[in-house]
Amino acid sequence: MNKNSSNTMALAPNTSNKRETVCIFGTGDFGRALGHKMIQCGYPVVYGSRSTQISNLIPKDAEVLGHAEAAQKAAIIIIAIQRQHYNFLTPLAEVLRGKVLVDISNNLKLNQYPESNAEYLAQLLPGSKVVKAFNTVSAWALQSGTLDASRQVFVCGDDVEAKQMVMNIVRALGLTPLDKGSLLAAQEIENYPLQLFPMWKFPIFLSLGLTAFFFLYCLALDIIYTYIYENNNFSFFIAITIPNRVCPVMALILLALVYLPGIFAAIIQLYRGTKYRRFPDWLDKWMLCRKQLGLVALAFASLHVVFTLVTPMRAFVSWRTGKGIISQALNNKTEPLNHTNAWISDSYLALGILGYFLFVLLGITSLPSVSNNVNWREFRFVQSKLGYLALILCTAHTLVYGGKWFLSPSAYKWYLPNIYILSLIVPCAVLVVKFVLIFPCVDKPLTKIRQGWERNPKYSE
Amino acid sequence: MNKNSSNTMALAPNTSNKRETVCIFGTGDFGRALGHKMIQCGYPVVYGSRSTQISNLIPKDAEVLGHAEAAQKAAIIIIAIQRQHYNFLTPLAEVLRGKVLVDISNNLKLNQYPESNAEYLAQLLPGSKVVKAFNTVSAWALQSGTLDASRQVFVCGDDVEAKQMVMNIVRALGLTPLDKGSLLAAQEIENYPLQLFPMWKFPIFLSLGLTAFFFLYCLALDIIYTYIYENNNFSFFIAITIPNRVCPVMALILLALVYLPGIFAAIIQLYRGTKYRRFPDWLDKWMLCRKQLGLVALAFASLHVVFTLVTPMRAFVSWRTGKGIISQALNNKTEPLNHTNAWISDSYLALGILGYFLFVLLGITSLPSVSNNVNWREFRFVQSKLGYLALILCTAHTLVYGGKWFLSPSAYKWYLPNIYILSLIVPCAVLVVKFVLIFPCVDKPLTKIRQGWERNPKYSE
Amino acid sequence: MNKNSSNTMALAPNTSNKRETVCIFGTGDFGRALGHKMIQCGYPVVYGSRSTQISNLIPKDAEVLGHAEAAQKAAIIIIAIQRQHYNFLTPLAEVLRGKVLVDISNNLKLNQYPESNAEYLAQLLPGSKVVKAFNTVSAWALQSGTLDASRQVFVCGDDVEAKQMVMNIVRALGLTPLDKGSLLAAQEIENYPLQLFPMWKFPIFLSLGLTAFFFLYCLALDIIYTYIYENNNFSFFIAITIPNRVCPVMALILLALVYLPGIFAAIIQLYRGTKYRRFPDWLDKWMLCRKQLGLVALAFASLHVVFTLVTPMRAFVSWRTGKGIISQALNNKTEPLNHTNAWISDSYLALGILGYFLFVLLGITSLPSVSNNVNWREFRFVQSKLGYLALILCTAHTLVYGGKWFLSPSAYKWYLPNIYILSLIVPCAVLVVKFVLIFPCVDKPLTKIRQGWERNPKYSE
């Protein structure tokens, strides 16, 4: 069901009220927000609280009772109190026997306690059926109805029926329950809302660092050098010219870094003669963030494309073009078409377009909903075959475009190589080694190793 | 499983026929289409009908019996008749006791009846297990096998086992069942197929209205004014020049309108000193369609980008560029590079590119499959931090580009301000107020309020 | 839960070890990989093997026993052996009675055996509960932890509880189980990993063939003809000019081919007077790959857009522009603005932009996660209404752009029509017939037929 319909539902409480009563322990912010929402969706709500005098903050249709009385009124009790106060529940063990307890708590840090809060609760009250749920939803989102982000609610628990009851409530609130299995998954579920793009950190910091380096490199060679030795002030190059030099370099290097760990893995496996030993830790981590590296590379490539396409609109470029034409006109001559130039210019443009096209295809197939509709064989085909083809095309694009600078001595300002030369080192290395790896004499043993064969059993653990 | 495989399955009926018999009451279009499909998938089908003479239209492998006899042959009975004829089922109550009745009906209007058809059926036959399903699938799609649209079938019902049986049939037909909980969800499920982008209506009508207004505004100032006072016929501006003036204005205003309701909400909460009172209705609705507003803004921004990029290909622009160069050549002089112009042109291009880049990122994270893989903290980071950054960049882009027109009197044709001035009002207001709101002296009480604190309990309901 | 968290889990085995023991029959590659992963996730694993001497390859925390002893230790037995050796399990039938057997096997060819491996296993051991699972996961992916592709594990089986147990293991390994219903789905699940984009084959081969034809056609007319009769060497046209002529032609023809089968279907239904007879096989297949045809068309259209936008950056184009301006300057005159040209150039650009914009919208709605959030009515609105509008705009774009070549005799080199004329045949035919079909006198009977009415019952089977 899409968002609107369930929101409408939330705004217009269902009148046919045959939902079962739900008890909420704790009248804190999240407990109140959840109670509000449940009342809107037709659930009778009873709060269990130390002070039973009716507070203004509690939804007015809810009853407030002492913990024991409240618990007796419902089969499902939502524990909206903090973990450090869970032990006050132990005296209630008899009342809570057989009841479904929903742990909705979150921690402040990843893996704050040795066991998850839900497992701790289950240990305290072994007679109750503990279900973990709702911890990934924010009180603010529940209340304002603006659940733009994920509507998924992770649910886990050891009792199947209790889990089903909680999942029905989740669905009734317009959210999507996702069964994560037994209570062992609670740790993972409790860690989930604390993350901030953990897999993106390395790719983003790496690319920020490299971007800063290449930006300063270009700044020195293109603006400062020109200013000092040629007395030209091209400071406005900072806005477009230099970004458009850094972006393609970053895109190419990052794309090569996506395929480099696979090459390392193949070499390590060939050397060890087995696939049954773990890779070094850094390689493991690198392989796990290849998708993110690739997407950052795609972002740089996209910026490069747009920066390139606006070129004719730049005042500097119009001025330079006009100057060239005027000088020909004033000299009364028309230069003939330089066929070599026409070939080079059209070639690198075409190579770049095709490479970028494949790159975008790779990006689209990495969308979760697309990759879920693709089997392993298809995924490998796209990510490996098309990915290498994209790398080849982009490397060729850079070679054809930057080639003229490789040999010209004027490209070595301050004896530093041109940025295009730097950008080609990693991709060329990857392509050369990959080319070696697909030779049958290397590929055959590698395939055998990956199918489980061992050259040298003494290596195995 | 992807679409093809299940379609193949549909085309090549499974020979190992061990499916349970399904009974269908009613031989209307949908009943026949569903029967056809079920027979293809290996289910024995028996129709319950008033006239038991074999009709040509009924799938030839199906049996046709009277209602009572047909019902006795199967544990699952699909009720493919209209709600107004449901009462003819009451005499069959005894035969249908304990059977699973699948309500597949749809209404003609949203909330046509006080209770959903499935709940009505359950009231009529309290001894049967009613499951709502299949109402979101079209007969035409079932029959032609071209299920390009959603393969999701919403299922709800109070009996878990009955629901499981129906969900197994749904899966066998190559569709994806989605458990929506108890029968209370039936109303929502019955309303679903009647909707036509309900959340998009306001954003689309708003943007159509604004677009029309700005289009006429530009038409008056750029074509009619020029024609009357300067005697120039620039009617061809209608095709590209004016759309490319309206699109960026619309994109900027709509993007600002995405963030405006959040500002209003903050001000209201600060003023009331509590978060426990509902926002006014218009604000609630506005907040619920922010995502749609943002996507419409992204569409306008994308059109603006493409309209801008084709500029050098326009005959008018080539002619104007040529004219400028020729007049310089004829005057025998080359104008030097105007550094200020170069800076301004490169700056607004770079600002626009970066703003659009962030805008596209926001659009990608609002894809359902991406936002489902993102937790609440990450979603807030992208939509709030990156969203405001995009708004700042786009506003700066417009300021730098349009700045020259603000003070020049020639920009006030007919005493009307230039369109760029109009477009900046809302975004600048949003940014200024937001800037005030992040001051600690304002931000602190607001955060406290959003965590559940109340300044003035007398306000609470 | 997103990828990272579950990967973290895989790297840091859960210490609180209360998972049930799992038995694995077979110590081949996949059996070992699965065992490794299960041990990492906290499952005690016992291998059943012919030779019980401990092999180096088996994970060191696993026990290795004879088949019968191993089976007795666990409720779930994973059958990691090949189908042709299944019959060695029959002597163990008594030990395996009541156990959950997980069939993880794959075949080498589609539909290799008359019944699926899982069904064969269930026939051999009727006392056991057979569940099909894990066959879509690769051993390499399990081991390296780089599950970039689909994390979905299709599960099917006749026993609900057994299925639940297996699905819990799947979840614990960080994968997503997808219930596909009863064991009848096993054939489909076993075929799934063998596919390589089956629905894409026809669209891709068709477009490759057409592309080759049009490429050679342009090569002949634009390069060879020019070289022979005008003695101009434009060989560099191969890189950009000709691709940019072929791409739009392909995009337009393929887009028309998306709508052509619907037209055929309507005509066939009108002629037959019923919707209850199957379409010819070619039409059925064509209709099933319309989405893929449309996406290939979108790819060609996108390439056309980028090829067009780089035009001003081409050396040849700068040279041609410069030459035109210089010749005007040398003749001391400035040509006035040609208003007709300005109109035509702006019109086809605007039409193309709007057509492409709608085309991209269609592409976005065909993303699985978007189309799942859209009901049938909304999907039809987008794909049918907006789709035809896109076709109309793109056809108009081509007509306005290519129009000048239709009548000019110089366009008929070697008496062959210009490529733009060829490209317009199919789209114009589709639009004309569609225009006829929406006339009320044709549309009314068609709608009636699609609602189940029959003109001529003798036609029905």
Side-chain angles (χ1 to χ4, degrees), chain A residues 133-197:
Chain A
F134 287 115
N135 72 312
T136 53
V137 183
S138 98
W140 164 247
L142 262 183
Q143 203 128 42
S144 65
T146 58
L147 287 156
D148 304 311
S150 175
R151 311 190 135 245
Q152 288 184 343
V153 172
F154 300 120
V155 179
C156 77
D158 290 332
D159 187 279
V160 173
E161 252 176 87
K163 214 156 52 174
Q164 279 300 334
M165 287 167 75
V166 175
M167 284 164 79
N168 274 338
I169 295 179
V170 172
R171 285 186 198 108
L173 304 190
L175 303 161
T176 312
L178 207 75
D179 188 343
K180 298 295 287 180
S182 76
L183 211 55
L184 284 168
Q187 185 102 42
E188 205 185 324
I189 296 180
E190 288 174 10
N191 282 339
Y192 182 69
L194 297 167
Q195 296 170 344
L196 188 61
F197 297 113

Side-chain angles (χ1 to χ4, degrees), chain B residues 419-431:
Chain B
I419 192 172
Y420 297 112
I421 302 175
L422 291 184
S423 77
L424 281 163
I425 298 168
V426 187
C428 288
V430 168
L431 288 177

Side-chain angles (χ1 to χ4, degrees), chain A residues 254-397:
Chain A
L254 290 177
L255 182 59
L257 290 183
V258 170
Y259 291 97
L260 193 52
I263 300 247
F264 281 143
I267 292 171
I268 288 175
Q269 288 182 332
L270 274 174
Y271 173 76
R272 288 178 176 169
T274 175
K275 71 164 187 181
Y276 290 105
R277 286 179 63 206
R278 294 206 72 129
F279 293 127
D281 220 40
W282 56 268
L283 188 56
D284 252 349
K285 283 191 182 144
W286 190 351
M287 289 184 92
L288 287 175
C289 69
R290 286 183 294 178
K291 179 181 157 184
Q292 284 75 17
L293 274 174
L295 289 175
V296 174
L298 179 56
F300 278 109
S302 303
L303 281 175
H304 166 52
V305 167
V306 187
F307 273 123
T308 304
L309 291 178
V310 298
T311 305
M313 256 144 289
R314 295 175 58 195
F316 167 68
V317 172
S318 322
W319 169 80
R320 199 177 52 188
T321 311
K323 206 176 89 171
I325 295 173
I326 292 167
S327 77
Q328 286 181 51
L330 296 183
N331 294 331
N332 246 347
K333 63 160 187 172
T334 320
E335 276 172 20
L337 176 61
N338 181 333
H339 276 263
T340 318
N341 264 359
W343 256 113
I344 289 178
S345 122
D346 280 13
S347 305
Y348 76 72
L349 288 172
L351 285 168
I353 290 169
L354 292 177
Y356 181 67
F357 175 76
L358 289 181
F359 212 158
V360 170
L361 267 193
L362 292 177
I364 291 173
T365 45
S366 74
L367 280 173
S369 71
V370 176
S371 66
N372 271 344
N373 279 300
V374 150
N375 69 30
W376 184 252
R377 195 178 160 209
E378 294 165 342
F379 184 80
R380 292 261 307 179
F381 176 80
V382 171
Q383 294 291 331
S384 177
K385 300 264 165 73
L386 294 193
Y388 265 107
L389 190 54
L391 183 59
I392 290 170
L393 287 170
C394 292
T395 309
H397 165 70

Side-chain angles (χ1 to χ4, degrees), chain A residues 410-426:
Chain A
S410 77
Y412 293 84
K413 300 171 180 166
W414 283 332
Y415 306 105
L416 288 173
N418 189 287
I419 192 172
Y420 296 111
I421 300 175
L422 292 183
S423 75
L424 281 164
I425 298 169
V426 187

Side-chain angles (χ1 to χ4, degrees), chain B residues 442-453:
Chain B
V442 185
D443 187 48
K444 260 192 192 162
L446 188 59
T447 308
K448 268 168 72 188
I449 287 168
R450 289 195 173 162
Q451 284 166 352
W453 174 81

Side-chain angles (χ1 to χ4, degrees), chain A residues 1-11 14-19 28-30 32-33 36 40-41 56-58 60 136-141 143-152 154 164 168 171-172 174-175 177 191-198 232-241 299-300 302-303 306-307 309-310 312-316 318-319 321-323 325-327 329-330 367-370 373-374 378, chain B residues 1-4 114 119 136 152 154 158 160 163-164 178-185 187-189 192 195 197-199 265 269 274-276 278-279 284-285 287-288 290-291 305 308-312 321 324-326 328-330 332-339 341-343 345-350 353-354 356-357 364 367 369-382 450-454 457-458 460-461:
Chain A
M1 202 108 312
N2 69 351
K3 308 204 167 177
N4 26 320
S5 51
S6 26
N7 280 320
T8 321
M9 192 178 165
L11 297 172
N14 205 310
T15 45
S16 59
N17 200 329
K18 38 172 181 165
R19 311 265 199 201
D29 188 35
F30 196 78
R32 280 175 277 158
H36 260 294
Q40 280 180 342
C41 297
N56 275 322
L57 299 172
I58 287 176
K60 59 176 171 182
T136 53
V137 183
S138 98
W140 164 247
Q143 203 128 42
S144 65
T146 58
L147 287 156
D148 304 311
S150 175
R151 311 190 135 245
Q152 288 184 343
F154 300 120
Q164 279 300 334
N168 274 338
R171 285 186 198 108
L175 303 161
N191 282 339
Y192 182 69
L194 297 167
Q195 296 170 344
L196 188 61
F197 297 113
N232 267 327
N233 178 8
F234 283 149
S235 59
F236 60 87
F237 274 19
I238 289 174
I240 292 193
T241 309
F300 278 109
S302 303
L303 281 175
V306 187
F307 273 123
L309 291 178
V310 298
M313 256 144 289
R314 295 175 58 195
F316 167 68
S318 322
W319 169 80
T321 311
K323 206 176 89 171
I325 295 173
I326 292 167
S327 77
L330 296 183
L367 280 173
S369 71
V370 176
N373 279 300
V374 150
E378 294 165 342
Chain B
M1 201 110 310
N2 69 353
K3 310 205 166 178
N4 25 320
E119 286 166 298
T136 54
Q152 288 183 344
F154 299 121
D158 290 332
V160 173
K163 214 156 53 173
Q164 279 301 332
L178 207 75
D179 188 343
K180 298 294 288 181
S182 75
L183 211 55
L184 284 168
Q187 184 104 44
E188 206 184 324
I189 297 180
Y192 182 69
Q195 298 170 341
F197 297 113
M199 299 307 282
Q269 288 182 331
T274 176
K275 74 165 184 180
Y276 290 105
R278 295 206 73 130
F279 293 128
D284 252 350
K285 283 191 183 145
M287 291 183 91
L288 287 175
R290 286 182 294 179
K291 177 180 159 186
V305 168
T308 305
L309 291 177
V310 298
T311 305
T321 311
I325 294 172
I326 293 167
Q328 286 182 51
L330 296 184
N332 246 347
K333 63 161 189 174
T334 321
E335 276 173 19
L337 175 63
N338 181 334
H339 277 263
N341 264 359
W343 256 112
S345 122
D346 280 14
S347 305
Y348 76 71
L349 287 171
I353 290 168
L354 292 178
Y356 182 66
F357 175 75
I364 291 172
L367 280 173
S369 69
V370 176
S371 67
N372 272 344
N373 278 301
V374 150
N375 68 30
W376 185 252
R377 195 179 159 207
E378 294 165 342
F379 185 80
R380 292 261 308 179
F381 176 80
V382 171
R450 289 195 173 162
Q451 284 166 352
W453 174 81
E454 297 226 335
K458 80 173 166 179
S460 13
E461 301 166 20

Side-chain angles (χ1 to χ4, degrees), chain C residues 17-26 31 34-39 41-48 59 61-65 67 69-80 99-102 104 134 165-170 172-173:
Chain C
N17 201 329
K18 39 171 180 164
R19 310 263 198 203
E20 71 273 23
T21 302
V22 174
C23 168
I24 299 175
F25 273 16
L34 203 58
H36 259 294
K37 183 81 182 173
M38 284 179 163
I39 289 168
C41 296
Y43 284 95
V45 170
V46 54
Y47 279 94
D61 294 328
E63 218 178 331
V64 183
L65 299 170
H67 286 108
E69 299 98 286
Q72 271 155 354
K73 290 220 169 185
I76 296 182
I77 295 144
I78 291 167
I79 309 295
K99 304 269 184 189
V100 178
L101 305 188
V102 186
I104 61 167
F134 287 114
M165 288 167 74
V166 175
M167 284 165 79
N168 274 339
I169 295 179
V170 171
L173 305 190

